[in-house]
Amino acid sequence: MNNNKRGWWCALPLAACATSPTWAAEKAASKEESLVVIGRKDADGVQSYQPLTSVTGTRSETSLLNVPQAIDVVPQQVITDQAVSSLDEALYNVSGITQANTLGGTQDAVMKRGVGDNRDGSILRDGVRSVQARNFTPTTERVEVLKGPASMLYGMGEPGGMINMITKKPQLQQHTHVEGWGSSFNGGGGQLDVTGPLGTSGFAYRMIVDHDETDYWRNFGRNRQTVIAPSLMWYGENTTVRLAYEHMEYLVPFDRGTIIDSRTGKPVNTPRDRRFDEAYNATRGDQDSVTLQIDQTLNERWKSSLTYAYSRNSYSDNQARATALNPESGGLSRQADATANAVSHANAVQLTLNGDVDWGSINHQMLFGFDFEDNRTYRGDMIRGKKNSDFNIYHPVYGLMPPSTAVSAKDSDQRENLTSYGWFMQDSIQLTDKWLVMGGLRYDAFDVYAGKGRPFQTNTDSSDSKLVPRAGVVYKLTPYVSLYSSYTESFKPNSSIATQIGSLPPEQGKSWEVGGKLALPNGVTGTLALFDITKRNVMVSELVEGETVTRTAGRVRSQGVELDVAGNLTDSLSLIGSYAYTDARVVDDPDNKGKEMTNVARHTASLFLTQNLGSPGLYSGDEVRIGAGARYVGRRPGDAANSFYLDNYTVADAFAAYTMPINGYRVKWQLNVKNLFDKTYYPSSGGNLRVAVGEPREVVLRGSVDF
């Protein structure tokens, strides 16, 4: 069942390529070294909103204009200006993104182009798939989103796209950032980020320490997060080596949100801060990641990269789970459930070889690679208490329902093990100054093993393989404008820890995309994309002889148009904005054929503007920077049956920052107001008893010193 040995042996030839320059062809003629500029940085330390390159679209630094798929980048300056504290907040700036079922706010969960879920394998950290629950951390420098299927590059995944968290790296220039903040949610935090050289031999270090703790905004609960992230880097003449470690400990409320009133199809008429659970509803966990990356320049035209990554998330939770509501009386049936000793961990090895080859007058940017992944998920004690009907949502009395300790043997010891390895190659061919053709092919083989129970019952044990293509064409209208079209595929192994009928072949996605891109020097970058995605072999549940079983009988389709713009309108005015129209619905399903996809809004939009006002004259060299924006999310179905819908909403945010230099120190004060007009909204749903409630107005004041 396990392909570990097979995967390692298959990697040996490429490993030899990654470490031996003799495999690389020598360049026939010398070529001037090119410098890739990621973003313009002004004298005051403010960086441009404009993205010019991405590592996610090709697994190497590439101009956005040359990638025949839509790629969106949320730059570091946007993250700073908006005081982004979660993945959801970062993705407010990206088209075609909505929140999926977050499992009571405990997991990152994103719908991309109408498809996706929590734990769907679509989140990467520095190009490696993450199993962690919380992926936006203080180590995040920027966020890149590759739209559409990405299996040719990254293996298994949803056809909606991949989200890549790019982390902060050690620098050879000494720099220290100290920051503290306070929140209107009764709490605050602080951060130390220091980097610099170690001696004069090319070594650099970075240490990030961050702690954040606030009251939960609803009537009880606490949010707490601590991160420690040391890293080392060696900048050699032809080699760079990075070793990074990150540890997080977290406490988050396990909040299932509000409930739909069956009489109205709307959330029940109770105060938005009123919880329907108990004080013990919380998730406590910790997560770790270790990354070792070695980049080798073999000669002027060839380079290789070797990456090993380990990630882990361990947690336990408790909840008083709502099971039924009498909306007239307010009587709520609840069940005390819990998960103890749950852990997910993953090991990954990546090997790549990049080449720049001229055959006659035609240039080839070539990529060869090997990926190995071993992902394991285990949930130990599954605790299932008795139902209790003593709670009333209109007149709540807490503390009458204690947590349960009753372990359900048939539900415990849930396991899902997935081992995969893949070979891939890609060639980006510059036919002329205007025409570029890209083609790639990947072979992936995987083993899936899943089941549960004491005694353990295996419900999935299968092996399969997939051949996944990628093809695209780019036409350069001008040096700053390109048109493109592409065809891409994806796959994702299916597994069921519960009962099933027959085998579960992998989900398979196919996508056609056409669009245009604009990248003006020191101006704006924009992408307009039209897409058509189909996904088949979607798992569905059916009731057979009184038992719920799983089969792959489903098919969905998503079509739409997206527009993303980011950059500088003038020297002092910046923007980042987006719009998307998405029509995602079920094409084939025993019960839900023709229904719209859950949590997918037909219309979404966002716009954020930032103005540098210059010096107010209060202090020599000081500066004022302000910004404001809003995001719109349209009406969305709240469950698979489309039995109710979540209303559309618009939420506004604003900030003001004041910076002044004092004796070589850069001192900054920044005030952020999130949900400026205190809008009540519902970002996602996990069903009629699990509707997430958006955060109210929050005021955050932060002070920082850089030197």
Side-chain angles (χ1 to χ4, degrees), residues 50-51 65 478 480-482 516-520 524-528 565-566:
Q50 182 182 24
L65 292 176
T478 75
Y480 313 117
V481 180
S482 67
K517 298 184 179 185
L518 169 73
L520 299 176
V524 296
T525 294
T527 300
L528 176 66
V565 180

Side-chain angles (χ1 to χ4, degrees), residues 557-633:
R557 184 174 185 179
S558 179
Q559 300 171 303
V561 58
E562 297 171 343
L563 174 65
D564 289 88
V565 180
N568 313 304
L569 296 176
T570 68
D571 289 341
S572 61
L573 180 62
S574 303
L575 91 160
I576 185 168
S578 69
Y579 168 78
Y581 169 84
T582 309
D583 181 14
R585 60 185 65 247
V586 180
V587 178
D588 197 6
D589 184 276
D591 301 314
N592 299 317
K593 183 177 181 178
K595 302 292 178 63
E596 295 179 66
M597 296 292 289
T598 308
N599 290 316
V600 179
R602 187 156 293 195
H603 299 277
T604 58
S606 68
L607 179 64
F608 197 87
L609 293 165
T610 300
Q611 178 73 48
N612 191 332
L613 298 178
S615 176
L618 301 177
Y619 195 91
S620 177
D622 61 352
E623 187 174 75
V624 173
R625 184 175 170 86
I626 60 172
R631 63 186 184 277
Y632 170 83
V633 178

Side-chain angles (χ1 to χ4, degrees), residues 7 35 55 71 112 154 290 300 342-343 386 388 432 451 453 466 468 472 481 484 508 565 613:
L35 177 65
V55 298
I71 300 175
K112 306 158 291 290
Y154 299 103
V290 179
E300 292 177 312
V343 62
K386 295 181 179 180
N388 183 304
T432 68
K466 276 295 295 176
V468 184
V481 180
Y484 71 91
Q508 297 183 50
V565 180
L613 298 178

Side-chain angles (χ1 to χ4, degrees), residues 119 254 282-284 315-319 337-343 378-384 414:
R119 303 166 176 168
F254 195 152
T283 297
R284 294 170 175 83
Y315 70 92
S316 295
D317 62 47
N318 263 295
Q319 61 168 320
D337 293 345
T339 302
N341 306 314
V343 62
Y378 171 75
R379 289 180 281 274
D381 292 339
M382 305 300 289
I383 297 168
R384 299 291 182 262
Q414 298 183 5

Side-chain angles (χ1 to χ4, degrees), residues 670-686:
Q670 180 168 315
L671 181 70
N672 285 81
V673 184
K674 301 180 180 183
N675 194 355
L676 181 64
F677 301 110
D678 202 25
K679 175 74 174 180
T680 297
Y681 65 102
Y682 307 96
S684 64
S685 168

